[in-house]
Amino acid sequence: MKFGRKITTNLYDEWRPFYIDYNLLKRELKSRTTSNTWDDKDERDFTAMLKKELDKVHDFQKQKTAELSRRIRDAEKDVQKLVAQESSSSEPSPTQSSDPESHQARPSDYGPDEGSDDDMDDNQSDTSLEDIFHGLEEEVATLVADVHDLALYTKLNITGFLKILKKHDKLTNLPLKPTFIQNYLEERPFYKYNWDALIVKLSKLYDLVRTRGHPVQGDSSAGGSQSAFVRQTTKYWVHPDNLVPLKLAILRHLPVLVFNADKEFEQKDAAITSIYFDNEDLELYLGRLEKTEGAEAIRLRWYGDIDVKTIFVERKTHREDWTGEKSVKARFPIKEHLVNAFLRGEYTMDAELQALVDKGKKTQAEVDSMIQLASEVQYRILTKQLHPVMRTFYNRTAFQLPGDPRVRISLDTELTMVREDNWDGQTRTGDNWRRTDIGIDHPFNQVPAEDKELFKYGVLEVKLQTQFGQEPPKWVTDLVQSHLVEAVPKFSKFIHGCATLLPNRVDLVPFWLPQMETDILKPNTGYLTVERPTKNTPEMQSGILSPLSPMSSVPSYIEPVSEGEDDEEMDLAPARDEYRRTGLPHEDVAAAIAFREKSLKERERTSQFNGSSSTPEEVCDERTPLLKLPQPPGVERTVSIDPLAPSSAFDERLRERLQANKSAPPRAQDVEVREAVGLDEETLREEDRLLVRDWSAPSGKRIAVPVRIEPKVYFANERTFLKWLSFAVLIGSIATTLLNFVPADDPRGLISAALFTLAALLSIAYSAIIFVYRALRLRARSAEGLYYDKYGPTILCFVLLAALGTNIGLRMADM
């Protein structure tokens, strides 16, 4: 789809005059370049037009964001007034509210004019209050739709500016794009607007209206006060275009978790920074990557800016399922000025942590556990010679009911990994525990490009605490199966950072690294569409984002041309001024137009006739479910993932796919097959897309294959060895019997005994070699090996058959 048509289709009609006039700029550019040679005057005029459009967009977005903040603030005041009215009407002798705004005499904006609070009847019915709350719900629905449309407004406009600049540079051969971005766009960075503050306010308002002014109260840390907690976690990637719609979808069910509701939200409140430790052998990296039992990750974390005084020392420990334990994260606080001394072993945490008991902040049992944790972490750092290796920074938006950890969803954006080590001769941290040249100023322009990794997706974590056999909430299942997210089991920021920032030290890389070049933006499945409330749709008064009904039509997904070259093509409709363009006589042009119009109409009628007469199985277009599409030979689907299944269920599927791809056709052949049948990845639905992911590792690297080695596997190896030995002892007993009871001058009996003895010795030797080989492969956590023995038993049977046959033949010859 051409971008000019896309922006016209997707814009919010009431804001139409405030979008970039892309079609006007395009026409102006083409008319000036085709009518004459582009000169300095044309360049100045076109730049002035761009500046005018940029000012219009920038000013409108600034005005709308301020307006949305004001409307949210006014709605909060109205909710508080309604709650005050409700509580005062239920008391026999109401008291005056201390809030001066609660006494303002202004009519309600969300219901009939009841007059001021002083004039309102104390016996007002509950139905009237409920009607006003329904009006507030409509206002919240409109606010959510406005935020969604304003985010889309920003995306469409910045895309329009970049496309028209690229088109200008292509047609005029003048590099306007770099200078315009630096001199104008950077000074009016409407596209860099951070929506977090607005979404936090909107979430608070939505929660107030949903709970009728009585939001759930509880500990906002929701488990953060505990020193150890266990959760089932699944992780997903989120495309930047889906970040705002995803946040709006989640806040419908969960409020944004705010630790201090009385404080105005600041951007630094969402910042989280962690320093990960490892040694030069990357021992912790390999342990976490291969998921070995007891693998640890040690990090120092703080929340907010770098001036915070409290640092949390955390240790994450991986536990295999066969241990009966769950992977656990434990932490303890330490003052920032004591971190270096603690890491050098010059300071212990016993006294400082014990003081928490004296202050009544922790119990003795909790403090004892934290003291033990501090000792173990300090011992690991000193004995394994751990040093700062990598920093992760991101802004986190957490969604959770306060005090209720059953469902917790966090979305990390602007994720950045930065090197902290001094291994390559460059001094980054020196003798300090972190580098001091950066803070939370994303994207860290002062850091060299080779020292940082700007992760291009958001990271969504869904943490569930459900009882055994209990299904997760349906809305969570619908969310993680929608087009908004891409499941990435076992994704780790620490592992990804080491794999990308330390390429010369890392030979084993995670399975998701080759997928970074694949765009995860999926076709819109119709789930979670933003709708504005109308008088005829009362069901939308209590919800803003809802899945489309089965009868709703899902618009097909057509990605706009990213490079803009296809914009040069003419529309199929005949142009009315062709006689000016072609230079032909008017009569000839009119005849050509009439013929082409007739051809287009016949083609349209033919396509409509074929579409109505064909069965669904015969039609293969972008709206046809993929299950009905013909599968080309040799094309396999990617690894299917149950989004909420335990990550261990993913291991076997991944291993099978990696081994299967060794004999698969090259990627180019797969692409040719798909093109031959007309399958385009962008037109396929999410649940059954055909992905061209060949799981090939970068040059010189190997992909880490998740392998689970349980103790029973070692026992099974030993049992197999003992079975072979018992069989060898049985054969050896036959040989010993023959030797003891056959006369010394009987050569036939001695030959038979020798053959049975040889069979027993071969069985012992073969089983011992296989046992040692399997044990070594298991210790190396290798998925490849002679775990299935298809030759040994067969060879043993032939040897025994030969010995028995020889014995019988010799005895028959002696008779």
Side-chain angles (χ1 to χ4, degrees):
M1 177 185 289
K2 297 182 179 180
F3 182 75
R5 192 182 308 162
K6 175 181 173 60
I7 192 173
T8 304
T9 304
N10 294 341
L11 57 77
Y12 179 41
D13 197 59
E14 291 187 9
W15 301 347
R16 181 182 294 271
F18 304 101
Y19 285 82
I20 178 177
D21 199 338
Y22 179 82
N23 291 325
L24 173 64
L25 293 172
K26 182 179 175 181
R27 288 195 301 269
E28 186 71 16
L29 184 62
K30 286 189 175 182
S31 64
R32 288 175 179 259
T33 53
T34 55
S35 60
N36 52 20
T37 304
W38 189 271
D39 54 19
D40 292 341
K41 182 178 181 303
D42 294 327
E43 184 75 5
R44 289 193 302 270
D45 293 344
F46 189 75
T47 304
M49 294 178 64
L50 285 175
K51 290 170 60 178
K52 181 179 178 181
E53 294 295 317
L54 178 60
D55 290 337
K56 176 182 69 176
V57 172
H58 176 264
D59 294 343
F60 178 76
Q61 189 203 54
K62 185 177 180 180
Q63 170 196 345
K64 289 301 295 184
T65 51
E67 176 189 334
L68 288 173
S69 298
R70 177 186 56 78
R71 289 166 58 191
I72 293 174
R73 189 166 53 252
D74 292 343
E76 286 183 0
K77 294 178 182 178
D78 287 319
V79 173
Q80 294 170 358
K81 287 198 301 180
L82 287 175
V83 173
Q85 290 175 204
E86 187 178 13
S87 59
S88 62
S89 61
S90 62
E91 297 177 359
S93 57
T95 57
Q96 294 294 330
S97 172
S98 59
D99 183 9
E101 293 182 353
S102 63
H103 303 291
Q104 293 179 355
R106 71 181 183 93
S108 172
D109 297 329
Y110 314 105
D113 186 5
E114 284 93 4
S116 66
D117 294 341
D118 297 333
D119 298 334
M120 185 173 289
D121 187 2
D122 292 339
N123 297 324
Q124 182 184 20
S125 65
D126 294 337
T127 304
S128 179
L129 284 175
E130 190 64 23
D131 291 340
I132 298 178
F133 269 113
H134 276 302
L136 282 168
E137 288 178 348
E138 291 188 6
E139 172 65 8
V140 174
T142 304
L143 285 170
V144 171
D146 283 345
V147 172
H148 176 273
D149 290 340
L150 194 57
L152 181 60
Y153 169 90
T154 302
K155 173 191 170 185
L156 290 175
N157 281 290
I158 187 59
T159 305
F161 278 110
L162 295 179
K163 281 184 173 293
I164 199 64
L165 286 170
K166 182 171 184 177
K167 189 177 294 294
H168 165 276
D169 295 353
K170 178 181 177 181
L171 295 179
T172 64
N173 294 323
L174 295 176
L176 176 60
K177 183 176 180 180
T179 57
F180 189 84
I181 291 177
Q182 182 177 359
N183 297 334
Y184 300 102
L185 269 177
E186 290 297 330
E187 294 182 0
R188 300 166 182 81
F190 70 93
Y191 56 96
K192 294 183 179 180
Y193 182 80
N194 193 296
W195 302 94
D196 288 347
L198 205 58
I199 289 177
V200 169
K201 296 176 183 178
L202 188 59
S203 171
K204 181 180 178 181
L205 173 62
Y206 192 94
D207 194 40
L208 280 173
V209 175
R210 175 175 49 199
T211 58
R212 297 301 186 257
H214 302 284
V216 177
Q217 302 295 329
D219 182 12
S220 296
S221 58
S225 60
Q226 306 171 14
S227 60
F229 45 93
V230 179
R231 291 190 182 100
Q232 176 189 354
T233 304
T234 51
K235 298 184 179 181
Y236 309 86
W237 288 348
V238 184
H239 194 277
D241 292 351
N242 294 331
L243 290 176
V244 173
L246 181 64
K247 291 179 180 180
L248 296 177
I250 299 174
L251 67 80
R252 178 192 176 193
H253 304 276
L254 291 176
V256 175
L257 187 63
V258 179
F259 292 94
N260 187 358
D262 298 330
K263 177 180 175 295
E264 186 72 16
F265 176 82
E266 300 180 61
Q267 188 54 46
K268 66 179 182 180
D269 297 336
I272 299 179
T273 311
S274 302
I275 305 292
Y276 287 88
F277 284 70
D278 209 338
N279 52 31
E280 294 195 39
D281 295 330
L282 296 180
E283 183 178 347
L284 300 189
Y285 165 80
L286 292 176
R288 299 294 295 184
L289 179 59
E290 296 178 333
K291 298 296 180 183
T292 56
E293 165 58 25
E296 295 178 340
I298 296 176
R299 68 189 181 195
L300 272 62
R301 168 173 288 190
W302 69 94
Y303 302 87
D305 212 337
I306 58 174
D307 57 352
V308 297
K309 303 301 181 183
T310 302
I311 309 296
F312 291 94
V313 181
E314 298 183 349
R315 183 186 66 182
K316 300 176 69 175
T317 306
H318 174 73
R319 296 297 182 191
E320 294 281 8
D321 293 341
W322 54 263
T323 62
E325 301 179 12
K326 295 293 185 181
S327 299
V328 65
K329 179 177 72 174
R331 69 179 186 178
F332 63 89
I334 184 175
K335 299 299 182 183
E336 192 275 334
H337 65 280
L338 300 174
V339 172
N340 285 322
F342 174 79
L343 297 178
R344 292 193 296 265
E346 302 171 357
Y347 178 80
T348 59
M349 297 295 300
D350 298 19
E352 184 175 346
L353 294 177
Q354 190 63 40
L356 298 177
V357 178
D358 302 335
K359 297 177 182 178
K361 296 182 178 180
K362 297 287 183 180
T363 64
Q364 187 61 48
E366 291 175 333
V367 168
D368 291 342
S369 176
M370 294 169 68
I371 292 176
Q372 180 181 358
L373 172 65
S375 301
E376 293 176 356
V377 170
Q378 191 176 51
Y379 178 78
R380 294 285 195 282
I381 292 175
L382 295 176
T383 56
K384 294 188 176 182
Q385 298 181 352
L386 303 181
H387 301 282
V389 61
M390 187 200 65
R391 169 186 303 211
T392 62
F393 165 82
Y394 48 87
N395 289 311
R396 168 165 291 182
T397 305
F399 301 86
Q400 179 182 343
L401 290 173
D404 185 0
R406 290 177 297 177
V407 180
R408 175 186 172 93
I409 299 178
S410 61
L411 180 59
D412 300 335
T413 57
E414 299 180 343
L415 172 59
T416 308
M417 296 86 165
V418 182
R419 288 189 65 170
E420 295 275 336
D421 64 278
N422 305 315
W423 296 337
D424 56 355
Q426 297 186 22
T427 302
R428 296 182 179 88
T429 58
D431 296 331
N432 196 27
W433 64 277
R434 64 179 176 184
R435 60 193 300 169
T436 57
D437 58 333
I438 60 175
I440 59 173
D441 48 336
H442 181 273
F444 309 106
N445 294 322
Q446 68 273 35
V447 179
E450 62 272 12
D451 280 2
K452 64 181 178 180
E453 170 72 12
L454 299 177
F455 196 73
K456 59 183 180 180
Y457 301 129
V459 178
L460 181 76
E461 293 188 28
V462 180
K463 302 177 181 180
L464 301 176
Q465 284 187 0
T466 55
Q467 297 179 357
F468 180 76
Q470 182 180 0
E471 294 292 332
K474 186 178 183 303
W475 71 267
V476 176
T477 305
D478 293 339
L479 181 70
V480 300
Q481 291 178 348
S482 70
H483 68 283
L484 299 176
V485 299
E486 172 78 9
V488 186
K490 300 183 180 181
F491 175 76
S492 167
K493 303 179 182 73
F494 169 55
I495 292 176
H496 185 85
C498 290
T500 53
L501 295 176
L502 304 172
N504 297 328
R505 292 179 175 269
V506 171
D507 295 327
L508 203 61
V509 297
F511 73 91
W512 63 79
L513 194 61
Q515 304 179 45
M516 291 301 298
E517 301 302 323
T518 303
D519 190 7
I520 65 171
L521 191 62
K522 303 177 185 178
N524 191 336
T525 58
Y527 178 74
L528 298 176
T529 58
V530 177
E531 300 180 11
R532 295 180 178 273
T534 60
K535 298 299 182 180
N536 298 328
T537 57
E539 66 276 6
M540 291 305 301
Q541 294 178 358
S542 59
I544 305 97
L545 300 161
S546 63
L548 290 180
S549 62
M551 300 301 295
S552 301
S553 60
V554 181
S556 60
Y557 174 83
I558 303 177
E559 181 68 18
V561 180
S562 58
E563 299 299 331
E565 284 80 359
D566 288 352
D567 286 357
E568 305 302 327
E569 299 178 0
M570 298 298 295
D571 289 339
L572 292 177
R576 298 303 177 182
D577 57 348
E578 285 198 11
Y579 63 93
R580 298 184 189 146
R581 299 173 182 240
T582 60
L584 297 175
H586 184 75
E587 294 77 13
D588 295 343
V589 173
I593 291 176
F595 176 78
R596 191 157 66 245
E597 283 181 341
K598 180 180 178 181
S599 300
L600 289 173
K601 291 179 180 179
E602 290 179 354
R603 184 190 308 174
E604 183 179 359
R605 284 197 300 269
T606 303
S607 61
Q608 291 178 354
F609 175 77
N610 293 337
S612 60
S613 60
S614 301
T615 61
E617 290 75 16
E618 296 173 350
V619 179
C620 296
D621 61 9
E622 60 193 14
R623 294 173 295 278
T624 305
L626 184 63
L627 293 178
K628 300 179 181 180
L629 291 177
Q631 292 286 347
V635 178
E636 296 183 359
R637 290 171 55 186
T638 185
V639 178
S640 60
I641 298 173
D642 182 2
L644 296 177
S647 58
S648 59
F650 177 74
D651 298 349
E652 186 66 23
R653 297 297 306 279
L654 174 62
R655 181 163 57 253
E656 293 175 357
R657 177 51 51 86
L658 285 172
Q659 295 179 357
N661 281 339
K662 292 182 178 179
S663 58
R667 177 173 177 175
Q669 297 179 9
D670 290 346
V671 175
E672 291 176 0
V673 171
R674 294 186 182 97
E675 291 178 351
V677 297
L679 293 180
D680 183 6
E681 184 176 340
E682 294 178 350
T683 63
L684 301 179
R685 294 190 181 274
E686 166 203 0
E687 63 271 12
D688 292 295
R689 291 185 304 157
L690 298 177
L691 303 181
V692 287
R693 299 181 179 179
D694 53 8
W695 302 95
S696 59
S699 177
K701 309 292 184 182
R702 293 183 297 112
I703 296 178
V705 181
V707 179
R708 296 181 61 200
I709 305 296
E710 300 182 1
K712 64 182 182 181
V713 180
Y714 292 98
F715 298 149
N717 188 29
E718 294 177 0
R719 287 195 303 269
T720 304
F721 177 57
L722 293 176
K723 288 289 185 181
W724 276 84
L725 288 182
S726 64
F727 196 74
V729 169
L730 178 61
I731 300 174
S733 301
I734 298 175
T736 304
T737 302
L738 289 175
L739 288 175
N740 290 334
F741 293 97
V742 170
D745 57 349
D746 184 4
R748 296 178 178 84
L750 294 177
I751 293 174
S752 299
L755 290 176
F756 280 104
T757 302
L758 178 62
L761 293 177
L762 287 176
S763 176
I764 293 174
Y766 179 81
S767 62
I769 294 174
I770 292 297
F771 170 74
V772 174
Y773 173 78
R774 288 174 175 172
L776 293 177
R777 300 302 291 174
L778 289 174
R779 291 180 182 178
R781 303 180 67 86
S782 174
E784 299 178 356
L786 295 176
Y787 299 118
Y788 169 66
D789 190 359
K790 56 183 178 181
Y791 301 112
T794 304
I795 294 175
L796 179 62
C797 290
F798 278 113
V799 172
L800 285 177
L801 184 61
L804 288 172
T806 302
N807 187 23
I808 295 174
L810 291 175
R811 290 304 174 188
M812 293 290 293
D814 193 25
M815 293 176 62

